[in-house]
Amino acid sequence: MRATLMYGAGDVRVENVPDSVVKHPTDALVRITASCVCGSDLHPYGSMKPEDGPARMGHEFIGIVEDTGSQVATVRRGDLVVAPFAISDNTCAFCREGLHTSCAHPQAGFWDGEAEEGGQAEAVRVPLADGTLVRLPVAADSALIPSLLTLSDVFGTGYHAAVAGGVDERTSVTVIGDGAVGLLAVLSAKRLGAERIILMGRHRARTGLGREFGATDVVSARGEEGIEAVRELTGGHGTHVVLEAVGHMPAYEQALGVVRPGGVISRVGVPQYETAPIGFGSLFRHNIRLAGGPAPVRAYIEELMPDILDGTIEPGKVFDATTGLDGVPAGYRNMADRTSLKVLITP
């Protein structure tokens, strides 16, 4: 079968690899009908060392179950399913608490830990299929597929940022980053009742979609100028919640600059740093809390799916380009160059 591999920074290839097959009684084999390139894929795309490759790519996908192991009970051949970016059994103590990204099962983990599997391919072996996969009540060619695909990561991640930050109708919100996760954090904050949502982004097409999703204000400036603009909009105080969807230190520093005393910084952009200001002069002095983390999107799928199915929301609007597998390397390049927001893949 064909699959996407990253050999190093800027070096993405689509190659023939051995077919994925069921290996364990809890596995399912899924023929992929829709997947995508994630903003987090751009981190290794910009920095991976050749000695760390090649790596199979892709952690967001929808597909049709082609085969199952003998112990799989909740999905069967022919089912259309969506997979979260984290593999989990959905039964351990952490999963029952809604923290599927910390599942205690030995086979649990993230897709990048499955060296021979990836979602940017024609097929994939799914460990812990009963816990990981969620059946979709639509056909594989449904117009809702792009929006349902966002349940595998970007919508659930934006929603996790808002939930972890405590967004509700009483909170003002700043979203840092106009990538797909940031835009869906705007949509999530709106869904949770926030009336004031400031989007910090500088790409007009993206911030326009952000306004459609619920942003009340857009600040295009960065750094101190951007911080000052947000503070001017908020009477000098900043917002109750900041949703940081980038992962680089300047975005964290920007979050520190715009959060209100007593507020929350909720990070879902994968941090590209290990140390950050958290002491007296940054967080402690004004009782600012730090929240967020890898989103347990499996916990949110059943909650968010009905609004997609009935047309209340359309998170799939973040996809602005579609390609087959042959176009995946160009899709990475276009997302890295910011000429595409998010690339949908139809193998």
Side-chain angles (χ1 to χ4, degrees), residues 6 8-12 40-48 329 332-333 336:
M6 185 178 293
D11 187 1
V12 173
S40 65
D41 294 333
L42 300 181
H43 293 310
Y45 186 73
S47 63
M48 178 187 276
Y332 271 82
R333 186 165 56 251

Side-chain angles (χ1 to χ4, degrees), residues 156-170:
T157 295
Y159 192 66
H160 181 61
V163 170
V167 174
D168 59 25
E169 65 279 357
R170 296 180 299 276

Side-chain angles (χ1 to χ4, degrees), residues 154-155 157-159 161-162 167 173-201 206-218 243 245 268 313 318:
V154 284
F155 187 17
T157 295
Y159 192 66
V167 174
V173 178
T174 298
V175 176
I176 297 177
D178 57 9
V181 171
L183 295 177
L184 292 176
V186 170
L187 180 65
S188 299
K190 180 68 174 179
R191 186 179 186 276
L192 291 171
E195 294 185 358
R196 185 74 180 273
I197 304 170
I198 301 169
L199 173 60
M200 301 193 77
R206 300 182 181 194
T207 57
L209 182 56
R211 287 189 182 277
E212 183 178 340
F213 282 163
T216 55
D217 304 273
V218 170
L243 309 181
V268 290
I313 54 177
V318 295

Side-chain angles (χ1 to χ4, degrees), residues 119-140:
Q120 295 166 13
E122 292 181 318
V124 63
R125 177 182 67 87
V126 180
L128 304 179
D130 279 339
T132 302
L133 297 175
V134 179
R135 286 186 294 178
L136 297 174
V138 300

